Amino acid sequence: MNIIKDQNIILSNSETKDFLADAFYPETENKLPLVIFVHGYKGYKDWGAWNLMAEKFAEAGFFFVKFNFSHNGTTVEDPDNFADLEAFGNNNYTKELSDLNVVIDHFSKKEKVDENKIILICHSRGGGISIVKTCEDIRINGLITLASVDSLERFPKNEAFENWKNEGVYYVENGRTKQQMPHYYQFFEDFETNYHRFDVERSMEMAKAHVLIIHGTNDESVSLKNAEHLHLLNPNTELYFVENANHTFGAKEPWEGKELPKDLDEVIKKCIEFITEKIVNE
């Protein structure tokens, strides 16, 4: 099977700024379900084993898209590094939801795409964004969360919060690059202004799409309780645990292997099975 890899497509968003997306899909005459991957905090489209994941979904017969949020710290010119920390610091949930909407608008109109079959697959904080978007957008009929948060209210607390408010910025070290990544106080102000819109719990309760919740039992970053809580909020969802898997299901940056890590391979097989059963063959 010949897989088309259309990488580093420039998308423009008048509400944010230009950003990049990739599309992986099989050469076929058929219209394909659109699967969009939404990365998480300090993530980007080419991180770790995401390219291998894209190939697996394309081989299974999907039009698979992954993209960089416009303010994730990467740039159009340098998509593999956090070259724009000012943009990173000025990121917020409104911008991410706007970018995701641009991605859906752009790729759902592609000739090879079946616009009636749109699925979001989201990792970590991208899960919170995708749950909100799924509630807002009736075009989305499938949602798969990978190690997702159950709330977007993830900010410093108590004295640390007061320092952030007074100083206007706080920094988090990137464990891999050792960069000091800024978070400007506008991030919280945007959350506060749009508090009801960013209510992940309410959005999960109201989600009409087919939903699969996947979480590793050894997730060191997002507690397993987040997955259990999301399932509790919407009992129509399916809950799937990957035994002993960590937050990235065995992947890391850089990923130099030619094969997927075992846990991520299990995740992808489960995703393909779920989409096929619930959406493709419904």
Side-chain angles (χ1 to χ4, degrees), residues 134-197:
T134 299
C135 176
E136 290 183 348
D137 195 329
I138 60 171
R139 294 175 296 177
I140 300 165
N141 38 26
L143 171 67
I144 300 175
T145 67
L146 310 180
S148 176
V149 299
D150 63 356
S151 169
L152 289 172
E153 194 167 357
R154 299 171 70 84
F155 303 108
K157 299 209 170 15
N158 304 320
E159 184 181 353
F161 179 83
E162 289 305 315
N163 289 339
W164 186 28
K165 184 177 180 180
N166 292 333
E167 295 171 12
V169 63
Y170 80 93
Y171 295 89
V172 171
E173 182 172 278
N174 185 310
R176 180 176 60 85
T177 68
K178 304 307 177 188
Q179 289 168 288
Q180 295 297 318
M181 320 245 339
H183 299 71
Y184 296 120
Y185 188 67
Q186 62 79 32
F187 189 21
F188 178 76
E189 291 175 321
D190 174 69
F191 176 81
E192 196 173 40
T193 301
N194 299 282
Y195 181 80
H196 293 294
R197 183 188 185 196

Side-chain angles (χ1 to χ4, degrees), residues 18 45 104 114 121 126 142 168 198 222 273 276:
D18 290 359
K45 69 179 178 64
I104 296 171
D114 182 347
I121 298 181
F198 300 153
V222 178
E273 176 189 291
T276 302

Side-chain angles (χ1 to χ4, degrees), residues 49 52 248-252 255 259-266:
L52 291 175
T248 56
F249 302 96
K252 62 181 181 179
W255 184 257
E259 300 295 326
L260 285 158
K262 178 178 69 71
D263 292 335
L264 184 56
D265 190 51
E266 178 183 339

Side-chain angles (χ1 to χ4, degrees), residues 241-258:
F241 293 143
V242 183
E243 289 299 323
N244 301 316
N246 68 1
H247 186 59
T248 56
F249 302 96
K252 62 181 181 179
E253 173 63 25
W255 184 257
E256 293 167 347
K258 291 188 167 36

Side-chain angles (χ1 to χ4, degrees), residues 82-129:
F82 296 115
D84 190 350
L85 291 181
E86 189 66 14
F88 183 91
N90 280 299
N91 191 24
N92 58 47
Y93 299 140
T94 296
K95 289 173 181 172
E96 292 193 352
L97 282 163
S98 178
D99 290 339
L100 180 52
N101 193 65
V102 166
V103 173
I104 296 171
D105 284 350
H106 179 85
F107 287 102
S108 63
K109 295 180 176 69
K110 290 291 184 183
E111 183 185 354
K112 295 290 185 188
V113 166
D114 182 347
E115 63 181 354
N116 295 311
K117 292 182 170 67
I118 299 176
I119 302 98
L120 301 183
I121 298 181
C122 44
H123 182 246
S124 196
R125 195 178 83 182
I129 292 296

Side-chain angles (χ1 to χ4, degrees), residues 221-258:
S221 299
V222 178
S223 167
L224 196 63
K225 292 179 180 177
N226 286 251
E228 293 169 336
H229 184 212
L230 290 172
H231 180 56
L232 192 67
L233 290 165
N234 188 336
N236 293 323
T237 58
E238 182 179 343
L239 184 59
Y240 185 83
F241 293 143
V242 183
E243 289 299 323
N244 301 316
N246 68 1
H247 186 59
T248 56
F249 302 96
K252 62 181 181 179
E253 173 63 25
W255 184 257
E256 293 167 347
K258 291 188 167 36

